[in-house]
Amino acid sequence: MTLPHSLGGAGDPRPPQAMEVHRLEHRQEEEQKEERQHSLRMGSSVRTRTFRSRWEPQGPRPATALEAQLRRQTSAVELEERGQKRVGFGNDWERTEIAFLQTHRLLRQRRDWKMLRRRTEEKVQEAKELRELCYGRGPWFWIPLRSHAVWEHTTVLLTCTVQASPPPQVTWYKNDTRIDPRLFPAGKYRITNNYGLLSLEIRRCTIEDSATYTVRVKNAYGQASSFAKVLVRTYLGKDAGFDSEIFKRSMFGPSVEFTSVLKPVFAHEKEPFSLSCLFSEDVLDAESIQWFRDGRLLRSSRRRKILYTDRQASLKVSCTYKEDEGLYMVRVPSPFGPREQSTYVLVRDAEAENPGAPGSPLNVRCLDVNRDCLILTWAPPSDTRGNPITAYSIERCQGESGEWIPCHEAPGGTCRCPIQGLVEGQSYRFRVRAISRAGSSVPSKASELVVMGDHDAARRKTETPFDLGNKITISTDAFEDTVTIPSPPTNVHASEIREAYVVLAWEEPSPRGRAPLTYSLEKSVIGSGTWEAISSESPVKSPRFAVLDLEKKKSYVFRVRAMNQYGLSDPSEPSEPIALRGPPATLPPPAQVQAFRDTQTSVSLTWDPVKDPELLGYYIYSRKVGTSEWQTVNNKPIQGTRFTVPGLRTGKEYEFCVRSVSEAGVGESSAATEPIRVKQALATPSAPYGFALLNCGKNEMVIGWKPPKRRGGGKILGYFLDQHDSEELDWHAVNQQPIPTRVCKVSDLHEGHFYEFRARAANWAGVGELSAPSSLFECKEWTMPQPGERPPVRRTGIRGAGHIPGAAVGTPTVYGGWACHRLSRQFPGGRL
């Protein structure tokens, strides 16, 4: 754009500074008249400067009158012309200035519009990129597919909701075969995608449509899939109801029963053992069979296998330890509730490497794990073989190296000790040996693998979840100030006091800084007034430390210093006076130990509990009457106050005693129980079976059955029989008093009705199991002749009626009464 030309031939535009000067002069002339006259007067007075010689007279030359007049006239003319020019120039310049300002304003507006448009386009582009960045993600199912069970010739609709950006590509599969509606009859499949709502409609379903349907979605950022099963059923009339056997089997599987009994197992340490049981039906889902030990669910591992083949479930342990001892239970689901069986597994001590050496310890555990130290605990063995334990040898293995190195030795009166000098970040396992005068025991089972680290660091971290599974972790160490020399630790105290050591604990200095800290400890005997540094093989990195070299019957105070790369802090405040404890005492024996006969090979024991927080359990011992040596019953401490001792011999007398177990060792033995003889115990009998119809009249039946397979160790005193009319709902008792025989006559029946029967056997222990219902028997009078006397035989040489072809003369016919009697005895359950 060009500026408009000035009017009146003002000439080329002046520089901006001259324009500003003339504009100001024009405004001042309009506002102040005196200033303009002064400006004109100053402009009209022209003074010429002349140079004179030194000989000419000094001072102004006097002007003549003519010169003065001419000067005045010239000045007037000049003033008039100058005023006209100034006024014209001012008007032209004002118009030029106005045009310039308008043009300048128009250019600024256009520039602002272009700038706003450019910024708007940039914002729109940024928003678009941000939206693509935020919504550009792989597909995921907000609502997955759901399985359906439908009747034949009906329609099923599978739906799901998927979210993805950009919109994904959708593909449907039937049993891993892609569904293409063009390859099927028209209208069989209908696939829709309505803004992320995916649906597959299957019309007029048939048995062939029972399959697994999968939908797979995929875009540039990933893929996902969802599947559902469709079960198409055929209507079977009344057998297809919810109470039918078909429905129960399809929903819950077959009714599984145990066909074998779990028996107690006596295993040996370091040797394998197995448990197995048989089922009446195949278990559809083998993973539904569960094994438990002392109520804890067991899973397959490197040395433990859970198997199922050919209706047999088994649990196999390749290498047995004392920790494997306990009450085992197997559970299998069934339509009418889970079925369970249980038995006890007892683990005997392995053969000692040295004759007379004690049994191995058990339950080795790592507690209070820190960066460089931990506390190790275990349970003492139940059998010392007559030699008291003098010490425990502790071995450690770093990682999975398999190399065991002795690292510590603890006194025999305790089952707890600290382990120090470990490396942060390394993993360790530990095992323990018991030592007596006869030698060392076999090693215990190794502890679980532990990793040394700062476990308090987890409490200093805060996790904030966001965006579907992601999280932000913030540690308080990031907010620590820059600290050069740390402050002294605080709250120095004894967290554990034992006979041979004291475990000191303290709190880290606050603020602790970001530099790693180590600690140095000092001790002082009360009254000495001097402090002695406590030496350690490696720097102390954890706020825990076990002091071992203390003297008994002396009291100590302790203080701690913190140290980092910048220097050593001041000592902390001294702790309270601390002294070693005396040797720990074993727990008292349980009271009121009683024995009861349970079965023909087991005895039940009960006793009063020992109330002590350090109690680990109980050991049980038994011996035959007339012998002095006690035998260990269990090698793993029992937690309850009741136990059934299996594996006893029928006809023998036994005595029992119980001991308490703690970290101090095995306590004193309780008083021996009264001698108890193991006899064949009575139990209720099993159910009768094999029901048969022996005779039938118009309104009565004669029913027979077979005796129970298990009589419960006693004589069967009688049977109780129940009847059920197929047209009624309830069962009715036939007799109120037990029937001594296995035949019963049932009266007051309705002719033409069908009846079923069931029975229970009774002995001195009580009424046994209820049998399964018999088959349906029709109440209809038999028309065959009753057994009676032998009829006369007609002898003739001519074959006539009543003579069986091929039979000798004098042979009675099959329809004779005595022959029917023989047949009825041979086939008691049917009709001739």
Side-chain angles (χ1 to χ4, degrees):
M1 177 179 294
T2 58
L3 295 175
H5 295 285
S6 59
L7 299 178
D12 297 334
R14 302 283 184 89
Q17 295 82 357
M19 293 171 59
E20 184 69 15
V21 172
H22 288 291
R23 185 171 59 85
L24 293 177
E25 290 179 355
H26 179 67
R27 291 181 181 179
Q28 289 177 359
E29 288 175 353
E30 291 179 352
E31 295 177 357
Q32 299 178 0
K33 186 177 181 179
E34 294 180 355
E35 293 183 1
R36 185 175 61 184
Q37 292 178 356
H38 177 72
S39 177
L40 292 174
R41 186 170 56 251
M42 291 298 295
S44 63
S45 59
V46 179
R47 293 184 180 182
T48 60
R49 200 173 179 85
T50 59
F51 298 92
R52 295 178 177 89
S53 66
R54 58 181 179 180
W55 295 279
E56 294 180 352
Q58 298 296 328
R61 183 178 60 88
T64 63
L66 181 57
E67 291 179 355
Q69 184 179 2
L70 291 175
R71 189 180 294 113
R72 285 193 299 268
Q73 292 177 357
T74 304
S75 298
V77 173
E78 290 178 358
L79 287 175
E80 184 178 0
E81 292 178 356
R82 184 178 296 180
Q84 293 177 357
K85 292 181 178 181
R86 184 178 296 276
V87 172
F89 176 79
N91 294 335
D92 296 340
W93 184 255
E94 184 176 2
R95 286 191 295 269
T96 303
E97 182 180 9
I98 293 173
F100 173 79
L101 293 176
Q102 292 177 353
T103 304
H104 181 71
R105 187 181 300 109
L106 181 61
L107 291 175
R108 180 178 292 276
Q109 290 178 355
R110 293 187 178 182
R111 186 184 63 181
D112 293 342
W113 290 342
K114 289 184 178 181
M115 182 62 67
L116 289 176
R117 180 178 297 177
R118 185 170 66 253
R119 290 186 178 180
T120 303
E121 292 176 354
E122 291 177 356
K123 290 291 185 181
V124 171
Q125 184 65 22
E126 291 178 359
K128 183 178 180 180
E129 293 178 356
L130 180 61
R131 184 169 60 255
E132 292 179 355
L133 181 62
C134 294
Y135 292 95
R137 60 171 56 185
W140 62 284
F141 287 91
W142 179 260
I143 300 177
L145 292 177
R146 182 174 61 88
S147 298
H148 289 71
V150 297
W151 295 112
E152 196 175 10
H153 305 301
T154 59
T155 300
V156 62
L157 182 64
L158 302 177
T159 60
C160 62
T161 303
V162 66
Q163 293 186 359
S165 180
Q169 180 183 359
V170 182
T171 309
W172 288 86
Y173 295 87
K174 175 185 177 181
N175 289 338
D176 297 332
T177 302
R178 184 176 179 179
I179 298 177
D180 189 353
R182 298 172 296 180
L183 303 179
F184 294 90
K188 178 63 176 179
Y189 295 102
R190 182 185 177 188
I191 300 174
T192 59
N193 182 0
N194 188 10
Y195 298 102
L197 178 61
L198 311 181
S199 63
L200 172 65
E201 184 178 4
I202 309 173
R203 299 179 179 179
R204 296 192 59 81
C205 294
T206 60
I207 299 299
E208 289 75 13
D209 292 325
S210 296
T212 300
Y213 292 85
T214 306
V215 56
R216 295 178 183 175
V217 291
K218 180 179 180 181
N219 65 1
Y221 295 93
Q223 61 182 357
S225 62
S226 178
F227 70 92
K229 293 185 178 180
V230 174
L231 176 62
V232 182
R233 297 177 178 173
T234 303
Y235 182 69
L236 301 176
K238 65 177 183 179
D239 293 335
F242 291 102
D243 297 331
S244 65
E245 188 68 22
I246 296 177
F247 176 77
K248 293 178 181 179
R249 285 179 176 270
S250 62
M251 294 298 295
F252 306 103
S255 179
V256 180
E257 299 291 343
F258 289 98
T259 58
S260 63
V261 180
L262 289 177
K263 296 183 179 180
V265 175
F266 297 90
H268 286 80
E269 196 176 7
K270 312 296 184 181
E271 295 181 2
F273 79 91
S274 63
L275 295 172
S276 62
C277 59
L278 299 175
F279 302 120
S280 60
E281 300 286 344
D282 286 327
V283 181
L284 300 181
D285 185 8
E287 295 182 357
S288 62
I289 303 175
Q290 297 176 326
W291 289 87
F292 298 86
R293 183 186 67 224
D294 296 332
R296 297 183 61 182
L297 180 64
L298 300 178
R299 301 189 183 277
S300 295
S301 61
R302 185 170 54 183
R303 65 180 188 89
R304 185 195 303 123
K305 301 296 181 183
I306 297 177
L307 306 174
Y308 174 76
T309 53
D310 298 333
R311 299 184 181 180
Q312 181 179 8
S314 58
L315 172 68
K316 297 183 179 181
V317 179
S318 59
C319 183
T320 307
Y321 293 99
K322 293 183 179 180
E323 288 80 357
D324 296 321
E325 184 176 286
L327 180 64
Y328 284 76
M329 181 181 67
V330 58
R331 177 184 297 169
V332 60
S334 180
F336 305 100
R339 299 292 187 262
E340 298 177 351
Q341 275 195 7
S342 60
T343 189
Y344 213 91
V345 175
L346 297 172
V347 181
R348 304 301 188 193
D349 282 315
E351 184 177 356
E353 298 175 354
N354 302 315
S360 61
L362 68 156
N363 291 340
V364 181
R365 298 184 301 163
C366 299
L367 307 177
D368 196 14
V369 180
N370 289 277
R371 294 179 178 177
D372 53 1
C373 63
L374 55 83
I375 300 295
L376 195 69
T377 64
W378 60 91
S382 61
D383 189 6
T384 61
R385 294 183 173 91
N387 298 314
I389 297 176
T390 58
Y392 291 97
S393 176
I394 302 172
E395 302 174 354
R396 77 180 183 193
C397 175
Q398 185 171 341
E400 299 294 340
S401 63
E403 181 180 0
W404 292 94
I405 302 174
C407 63
H408 191 78
E409 185 169 319
T414 180
C415 296
R416 185 186 185 99
C417 76
I419 306 297
Q420 300 183 132
L422 305 177
V423 180
E424 183 179 3
Q426 292 290 344
S427 57
Y428 296 92
R429 290 185 299 165
F430 299 88
R431 66 184 188 185
V432 184
R433 295 175 182 261
I435 302 175
S436 67
R437 293 183 303 173
S440 174
S441 69
V442 297
S444 67
K445 179 185 176 183
S447 66
E448 297 292 336
L449 194 69
V450 294
V451 180
M452 310 306 296
D454 185 8
H455 296 273
D456 293 335
R459 295 196 297 266
R460 298 197 297 266
K461 294 182 179 180
T462 303
E463 294 183 353
T464 303
F466 78 99
D467 193 18
L468 298 176
N470 297 324
K471 59 184 178 180
I472 299 175
T473 304
I474 302 175
S475 176
T476 57
D477 296 342
F479 299 97
E480 290 285 351
D481 297 333
T482 302
V483 177
T484 54
I485 298 179
S487 304
T490 58
N491 191 22
V492 180
H493 63 282
S495 62
E496 184 178 345
I497 302 176
R498 296 287 172 171
E499 177 188 8
Y501 65 89
V502 171
V503 177
L504 295 178
W506 58 89
E507 296 180 2
E508 294 181 339
S510 180
R512 66 184 300 275
R514 301 181 183 180
L517 296 176
T518 57
Y519 302 94
S520 62
L521 291 85
E522 300 175 353
K523 65 180 179 180
S524 175
V525 180
I526 295 296
S528 65
T530 59
W531 290 92
E532 179 184 356
I534 300 176
S535 60
S536 60
E537 298 180 357
S538 59
V540 180
K541 299 181 181 180
S542 303
R544 303 283 189 279
F545 188 78
V547 184
L548 304 177
D549 54 345
L550 299 180
E551 298 181 13
K552 298 181 179 180
K553 298 182 180 180
K554 287 186 179 182
S555 297
Y556 294 85
V557 290
F558 301 88
R559 65 185 186 183
V560 184
R561 297 173 184 262
M563 180 172 53
N564 62 8
Q565 60 184 357
Y566 301 105
L568 186 66
S569 72
D570 295 332
S572 65
E573 293 293 331
S575 66
E576 297 292 331
I578 301 171
L580 295 176
R581 290 183 179 178
T586 57
L587 299 181
Q592 300 295 329
V593 181
Q594 299 180 359
F596 304 93
R597 186 173 66 250
D598 190 7
T599 64
Q600 59 183 357
T601 59
S602 61
V603 171
S604 294
L605 298 177
T606 61
W607 58 88
D608 294 340
V610 176
K611 298 181 179 180
D612 193 284
E614 296 186 358
L615 178 68
L616 299 179
Y618 304 93
Y619 283 140
I620 300 175
Y621 302 85
S622 66
R623 69 180 178 185
K624 296 180 181 178
V625 175
T627 61
S628 59
E629 183 179 359
W630 290 94
Q631 300 292 333
T632 302
V633 174
N634 62 307
N635 274 321
K636 180 180 177 180
I638 300 172
Q639 303 300 322
T641 59
R642 184 182 180 89
F643 186 75
T644 299
V645 182
L648 303 178
R649 293 187 178 182
T650 305
K652 300 293 182 178
E653 290 187 349
Y654 291 88
E655 294 177 332
F656 303 91
C657 67
V658 183
R659 293 185 177 186
S660 304
V661 186
S662 66
E663 292 182 354
V666 182
E668 295 294 331
S669 173
S670 66
T673 63
E674 295 292 333
I676 182 172
R677 181 179 295 274
V678 181
K679 298 181 180 180
Q680 186 174 4
L682 291 178
T684 57
S686 60
Y689 67 102
F691 290 87
L693 179 62
L694 303 182
N695 192 13
C696 184
K698 291 185 178 181
N699 56 0
E700 62 183 13
M701 292 182 178
V702 178
I703 304 298
W705 57 87
K706 295 182 180 180
K709 295 182 179 181
R710 300 189 303 274
R711 299 185 178 184
K715 180 182 178 181
I716 300 296
L717 302 178
Y719 299 90
F720 293 91
L721 186 66
D722 298 337
Q723 69 176 21
H724 175 239
D725 192 339
S726 61
E727 298 182 0
E728 298 179 359
L729 297 177
D730 300 330
W731 287 79
H732 301 282
V734 175
N735 58 307
Q736 300 297 331
Q737 298 297 328
I739 303 173
T741 62
R742 290 182 286 109
V743 178
C744 179
K745 183 177 182 180
V746 184
S747 305
D748 299 330
L749 304 178
H750 299 282
E751 186 177 5
H753 287 208
F754 287 86
Y755 292 88
E756 58 182 347
F757 301 89
R758 65 186 186 186
R760 290 177 292 180
N763 62 4
W764 289 110
V767 181
E769 301 175 2
L770 187 64
S771 68
S774 66
S775 302
L776 290 173
F777 300 123
E778 183 181 7
C779 184
K780 184 176 181 181
E781 185 178 7
W782 289 1
T783 57
M784 73 178 89
Q786 294 292 328
E789 297 180 359
R790 179 177 178 178
V793 179
R794 180 169 50 189
R795 300 176 181 272
T796 175
I798 304 174
R799 295 178 182 178
H803 183 75
I804 302 176
V809 176
T811 303
T813 64
V814 71
Y815 299 102
W818 66 275
C820 291
H821 178 64
R822 292 181 60 189
L823 290 174
S824 66
R825 292 183 61 187
Q826 184 176 0
F827 303 99
R831 273 185 278 168
L832 300 178

